[in-house]
Amino acid sequence: MTDRTTDREAMVTRQIERRGVRDRHVLEAMRTVPREVFVDPGMEEFAYEDRPLPIGDGQTISQPYIVGLMIEAAELRPGDRVLEIGAGSGYAAAVLSRIATSVHAIERHEALTRKAEARLARLGYDNVTIRTGDGTRGWAEAGPFDAILVAAGAPTAPESLKHQLAIGGALVIPVQHGDRHQTLTRIRRTADDAWDEEELGAVNFVPLIGAEGWT
């Protein structure tokens, strides 16, 4: 396999750090994870471009900047437990795993789940567990989580996910307004029945499908 260390360093410097992502844990994790492993065969040369790429089943691997932005927004720290909704290629879970103690991820498409598991195993990232299912319901038995990241646009933040946050934990999710506009939103649980919300900017994700999402 071609050594793409230089490409990876350039990606972090030009696409992520220069655009405002400053969290050293995020930057170091993204310097570590070989993004080319998480794209389909024949797409490796495009892995470090600042754009999403198709991964099958109508899904994409998010552009690098969005991955970095969302993880920074979650304010992840070593020792945290994380839930990712929409595992896709497994790339974001891999980056999360270089910071968090444990990562649980849910993917709606079985074929993508299997591919992501194989890629993570190939790299020896053994603190990630992925299952196929309805991500809008979360993974209650593995919680509570210090952070939950959702890689799909929802009509509103699922109540199941909000209640699976630890007190002080953050849910980072694109919420759709009207027919098309999505806003990346951070929802922090401040008490048993209290959450604060903050809008972080416009994004564009595939729809979040499920019982508490789009049907």
Side-chain angles (χ1 to χ4, degrees), residues 38 87-91 111-121 130:
F38 294 89
S89 69
Y91 175 69
L112 295 182
T113 299
R114 299 285 80 81
K115 287 181 182 179
E117 286 178 328
R119 289 162 174 156
L120 292 161
I130 305 179

Side-chain angles (χ1 to χ4, degrees), residues 85-119:
I85 307 303
S89 69
Y91 175 69
V95 175
L96 290 164
S97 78
R98 301 303 86 192
I99 306 171
T101 291
S102 65
V103 178
H104 287 73
I106 304 174
E107 171 52 49
R108 191 165 61 91
H109 301 278
E110 178 69 21
L112 295 182
T113 299
R114 299 285 80 81
K115 287 181 182 179
E117 286 178 328
R119 289 162 174 156

Side-chain angles (χ1 to χ4, degrees), residues 20 31 34 36 42 45-46 48 66 70 76 84 94 104 136 140 159 171 173 187 194-195 213:
R31 287 188 174 100
E36 69 272 16
E45 65 180 297
F46 307 112
Y48 292 99
I66 290 295
M70 290 184 70
L76 199 62
E84 185 199 13
H104 287 73
T136 70
E159 289 298 315
L171 165 63
I173 180 171
I187 301 171
W195 295 263

Side-chain angles (χ1 to χ4, degrees), residues 188-207:
R188 188 176 304 282
R189 190 173 193 180
T190 57
D192 283 346
D193 293 302
W195 295 263
D196 287 338
E197 293 192 16
E198 178 183 2
E199 293 186 351
L200 304 177
V203 289
N204 185 26
F205 281 82
V206 297

